Every structure is written in C-alpha cells, then in structure tokens.
Amino acid sequence: MRIAFAGKGGAGKTTLAATLARLAARRGSAVVAIDADSNPNLAAALGVGPSIAAGLSGIPSTAVSRKLTGPCLTASVDDVLAAHGTVAPDGVRLLLMGGPAHAGEGCLCSAHAAVSAVLADLGESPDTLAIIDLEASPEHLSRGTARFADLLVLVTEPYYRSLEATRRLADLSAELPSTRSVVVVNKVRSAADSEAVAEFCHRHRLTSIGEVPFSDAVVDADRVGRPLLDTDGNGSAVAAVAGVLQSLGVPA
Ligand SMILES: Nc1ncnc2c1ncn2[C@@H]1O[C@H](COP(=O)(O)OP(=O)(O)O)[C@@H](O)[C@H]1O
Ligand SMILES: [Mg+2]
C-alpha cells in the first residue's frame, strides 16, 4: 500500500507521516518512507541523525529511465534504497526525492520523475507500506506523481485557508483514477474545530478518518529536533496517529 500525505504548508504532513511510518514499522510492516519534498525534513522527523541526513542526496537521475509509459527505475527499489537511502529508527527505510543544490538550477522534473518511478515500482510490492511525504504545492497532483499512491491523506488544520487548500487538492485528486482521498484533521483544539471540519467534509463529500489534537508535546519535540515518538510516545498525538493507522487498515 502506498499512502501519500498532502496538505497546506505547516498542516503537519511530515509530523504525521513520520510518526505513522515508525508506528507501522513497530507493528511489523516493511516500511519505505519517501521524502517527496524538495526542501526535505522527513529524516529529522523520523529521527535520522543530522550528519547522516546531511549525506542523503536524493535519487540520482541516472537511477531513472524515462519512457513513454512513464518513468521507471533502472534497478530494483531495494538496490536504490541500499545505494541512496538510509535506515531510520524502527527499521523504516528512507529515500529522498532530492532538491536543488544551487540557485538558478531550473525545474525539478527529474526529481519528480524519480518519485514517480519509485512509487510505480513499489506498486509491485503490495506487502511494503510506502509512506510519501509530499510538498505543500499541488505539483505532485498536476504532474500526476500522486497517481501512484493508493491513498492520499489530506492533512487539514481547522481553519479556513487550510480547508480551502484541502478542497483544491481534493478536486485535483478526484481526477486520479486509482487514488482514494481521505482527510485527517490535525491540531484540533476544541469541539468547534471538530465541528467546522466535519461540516466542511460533509459539504464536499470528503471522508475524515481521524483527528489529531493540538499538542504542546509536538511543538516541544520539534523545537529540539527530536521525533515526537521518542519524546512523548504515550501522549495524545501519538495515540491519535495510532488510531489513524488502524483506520487505514494497517495491522495492529
Ligand atoms: N498536532 C500538533 N500539535 C501541535 N503542533 C503540531 C502538530 N502537528 C504538527 N505541529 C507543528 O506544526 C509545524 C508544521 O508541521 P510539519 O509536520 O512540518 O508540517 P508540514 O509537513 O505539513 O509542512 C511544526 O512546527 C510541528 O511541530
Ligand atoms: Mg513537511
């Protein structure tokens, strides 16, 4: 199963993707996490040390063959992971899309093609759980990269502009034939927050599969650059992410 996290910048995609990836790995899933943000920070959220994270350069364009049928890898996903990825805590294998090394470098077509290729090839490994942390821009949808995800989790904060961003992403994802979209509400502080998002989901025929409360523990963990799971593993936010994992049908 390939699960991609999309949503407005700051909604909590990286926090939720990293926590969910490690929880799933702890429960026995083979997890591949893909940082598909050209300004990456999934490594830190997973707990990869800064010196190792700094050495991760992303999937090189030489690992991708671009064909009329779409991009594909020139080697197996396992080989690409071994050569260009790293192993994060709990055994989560991590790959980065890669980003610009220099100002004025131009577009990131080949980096996006690399994510498409990895996801397409992971479609052949149904027992692997792929967690993809997308960037906030709708580019993964406009380029069609997200069509290789089985499920798009639209991470939404309970405020108007975040809901608007979710609506636009949901409209685009509705055009992807094999990708189902669901909403996860993050940073919920009150019953009014829950009600506002429930009303929004009802109005736009979207399904919400979970809510994660606003938690000072998330803020505290981020301030010191540590994964939430390692600082507040028994807290309310982690419990809520575990609930999301369960609703996704990932075995407990
Ligand atoms: N449930 C939460 N409660 C409090 N703060 C949160 C929560 N989820 C995320 N955050 C904070 O919000 C900010 C953005 O989170 P991040 O996961 O980087 O978002 P994104 O990847 O969508 O841009 C970070 O400072 C993070 O610590
Ligand atoms: Mg992020």
Side-chain angles (χ1 to χ4, degrees):
M1 190 178 193
R2 297 159 295 180
I3 305 175
F5 287 72
K8 191 165 168 52
K13 300 175 291 296
T14 302
T15 306
L16 301 191
T19 308
L20 191 132
R22 283 186 53 186
L23 284 175
R26 283 183 184 181
R27 292 167 185 201
S29 296
V31 182
V32 172
I34 299 167
D35 193 335
D37 191 334
S38 52
N39 194 353
N41 48 30
L42 185 60
L46 284 166
V48 174
S51 56
I52 294 175
L56 292 171
S57 54
I59 311 159
S61 56
T62 48
V64 181
S65 154
R66 301 184 72 171
K67 298 190 173 148
L68 274 177
T69 47
C72 60
L73 294 175
T74 52
S76 71
V77 176
D78 283 342
D79 287 349
V80 171
L81 277 160
H84 307 291
T86 192
V87 181
D90 295 312
V92 172
R93 292 183 294 165
L94 171 68
L95 261 181
L96 266 59
M97 170 171 106
H102 303 287
E105 201 173 270
C107 75
L108 294 171
C109 291
S110 60
H112 282 268
V115 175
S116 296
V118 173
L119 290 180
D121 285 18
L122 279 171
E124 308 297 316
S125 312
D127 293 338
T128 299
L129 177 66
I131 302 291
I132 308 108
D133 182 22
L134 298 175
E135 59 195 3
S137 133
E139 201 162 341
H140 285 289
L141 286 153
S142 59
R143 285 178 183 270
T145 317
R147 74 182 181 278
F148 296 109
D150 305 299
L151 187 75
L152 195 64
V153 174
L154 300 167
V155 182
T156 305
E157 282 186 75
Y159 71 99
Y160 185 82
R161 292 185 304 280
S162 184
L163 293 168
E164 274 298 284
T166 291
R167 184 188 56 71
R168 279 186 218 107
L169 293 173
D171 287 350
L172 288 170
S173 68
E175 295 176 10
L176 301 177
S178 22
T179 307
R180 188 167 71 91
S181 296
V182 293
V183 168
V184 169
V185 196
N186 190 24
K187 307 191 197 178
V188 173
R189 296 173 195 255
S190 66
D193 282 350
S194 300
E195 283 158 22
V197 183
E199 191 277 324
F200 165 84
C201 287
H202 178 72
R203 191 155 26 96
H204 296 287
R205 293 194 175 80
L206 294 168
T207 305
S208 170
I209 59 157
E211 276 188 15
V212 179
F214 184 93
S215 158
D216 285 330
V218 182
V219 179
D220 293 344
D222 230 0
R223 190 182 304 114
V224 293
R226 292 195 59 205
L228 172 65
L229 210 48
D230 296 339
T231 57
D232 193 46
N234 296 317
S236 59
V238 169
V241 177
V244 169
L245 193 57
Q246 203 143 358
S247 349
L248 293 173
V250 177

